[in-house]
Amino acid sequence: MELFRTIAEVREALAADRAQGLTVGFVPTMGALHLGHLSLVERAAAENDRVIASIFVNPTQFNDPNDLKNYPRTMEADSELLGSRTCHYLFAPEVGEIYPEKDTRQFQFGKLESVMEGAFRPGHFQGVAQVVSKLFDIVRPDRAYFGYKDFQQYSIICNMVDQLKLPVAIVPCPIVREVDGLAMSSRNRLLTPEHRAVAPKIYALLKEAVSAARNGEDPATVRAGLIAKMEAIPLLRLEYFDIVDERTLEAVVSWDAPGRKVGCIALYAGSVRLIDNIVFDL
Ligand code: PAF
């Protein structure tokens, strides 16, 4: 695996690959890699001739300076993990390489960025769109791989690609979970043992919500039921649980409405913010 620190190095290597007719799969990350990220790399390797991953803790998507400061940075271990898979290139730029000056672009995502993560993390998706559009411009991948755990991010990126008419296919990949059901996340390593022990409840309650829906409860009752159970767990502090249409992110009022429905949750386990989701396959 070759490590690149500059945009020029990435462009040069990938231009040579493209000149030979090779396809490029891209896995953008913020590092602190886990098996979820590696599953994206494996999928990219199965579907493309060249795989490039990026590690860049993007400052513009953090609305909380402490979160940015505490975000785990594990470059050495990350390179080893990527080296253990088929990953041809790693792009790990400094902040000044990506933002030589302040990025003042504003994207219009309408409702997609005003609900759920957008409501609780103002400006977050503007920052995500800024960095992902820059990375796409640098890498020019044929396909880019995103985890479904960040379901709203996936929707926003698809919308951005449509708006900018970018020639890249966005590939959503399934959530990878620990054996006890906790969705893999770079933030899990920040959990205290006490919070780590209670965190599997999140997925357990999401599965219970799907069972309740299968047993005939309407969306509002299912939502209220999960919220009540979550609020009864002392170590977890719920931010939101919403059941939304996969495409519009509008709240679901009836299971009979067309389209996939996704239950999305965000909460704090101590000082660590976690998100997860489940598809209501009824
Ligand atoms: O999902 C992430 O890790 C980040 O939001 C991304 C897509 C790499 C942009 O910084």
Side-chain angles (χ1 to χ4, degrees):
M1 186 178 70
E2 279 181 78
L3 170 65
F4 300 138
R5 295 286 185 185
T6 66
I7 295 170
E9 289 170 306
V10 175
R11 288 208 164 124
E12 193 187 328
L14 292 181
D17 288 339
R18 269 190 297 268
Q20 294 180 56
L22 302 179
T23 56
V24 176
F26 178 39
V27 180
T29 82
M30 297 206 298
L33 302 182
H34 49 68
L35 290 176
H37 295 113
L38 296 183
S39 74
L40 306 182
V41 171
E42 282 162 6
R43 174 94 181 258
E47 296 178 353
N48 301 275
D49 303 309
R50 286 283 180 270
V51 177
I52 174 164
S54 63
I55 294 182
F56 179 66
V57 182
N58 172 38
T60 71
Q61 71 187 74
F62 285 82
N63 53 320
D64 171 357
N66 271 331
D67 192 20
L68 173 60
K69 194 172 104 223
N70 296 332
Y71 200 84
R73 288 158 171 91
T74 57
M75 186 61 190
E76 218 169 288
D78 290 348
S79 306
E80 266 175 41
L81 283 174
L82 290 172
S84 72
R85 302 296 196 275
T86 303
C87 182
H88 302 92
Y89 310 118
L90 169 59
F91 178 41
E94 296 294 333
V95 173
E97 182 72 6
I98 298 295
Y99 298 113
E101 61 224 23
K102 193 171 153 63
D103 192 338
T104 53
R105 289 174 301 156
Q106 282 291 317
F107 295 82
Q108 301 303 325
F109 295 122
K111 171 116 195 179
L112 292 186
E113 70 163 338
S114 66
V115 297
M116 302 193 295
E117 291 302 281
F120 283 90
R121 302 182 69 189
H124 169 66
F125 288 122
Q126 291 295 325
V128 169
Q130 285 172 348
V131 77
V132 173
S133 60
K134 277 176 184 270
L135 291 169
F136 282 178
D137 182 53
I138 297 163
V139 173
R140 298 182 183 260
D142 296 281
R143 298 180 191 82
Y145 296 80
F146 291 87
Y148 204 75
K149 183 170 86 67
D150 293 298
F151 156 70
Q152 194 173 0
Q153 167 172 280
Y154 160 71
S155 302
I156 293 269
I157 287 167
C158 291
N159 188 285
M160 181 193 80
V161 163
D162 277 355
Q163 283 189 40
L164 302 178
K165 307 271 178 282
L166 301 179
V168 52
I170 303 300
V171 185
C173 300
I175 298 176
V176 179
R177 298 184 179 280
E178 304 286 353
V179 280
D180 58 13
L182 177 62
M184 289 198 184
S185 162
S186 304
R187 295 168 196 270
N188 290 353
R189 66 187 79 194
L190 303 174
L191 292 167
T192 63
E194 238 185 340
H195 290 108
R196 175 64 188 83
V198 82
K201 289 261 182 212
I202 302 164
Y203 185 49
L205 290 186
L206 289 174
K207 284 193 297 185
E208 279 179 40
V210 173
S211 301
R214 286 190 183 133
N215 289 336
E217 281 186 17
D218 61 66
T221 312
V222 169
R223 176 171 181 267
L226 183 141
I227 291 175
K229 287 182 200 163
M230 185 57 79
E231 284 178 349
I233 304 173
L235 289 171
L236 303 181
R237 184 165 56 80
L238 182 68
E239 260 191 352
Y240 65 80
F241 172 61
D242 288 318
I243 305 172
V244 298
D245 173 86
E246 183 187 48
R247 222 172 27 83
T248 63
L249 306 190
E250 305 264 359
V252 168
V253 288
S254 157
W255 301 123
D256 296 332
R260 287 218 306 180
K261 285 110 191 143
V262 189
C264 302
I265 194 165
L267 53 103
Y268 277 91
S271 60
V272 182
R273 190 168 184 280
L274 300 175
I275 59 172
D276 200 350
N277 66 69
I278 197 160
V279 173
F280 279 80
D281 262 332
L282 305 183

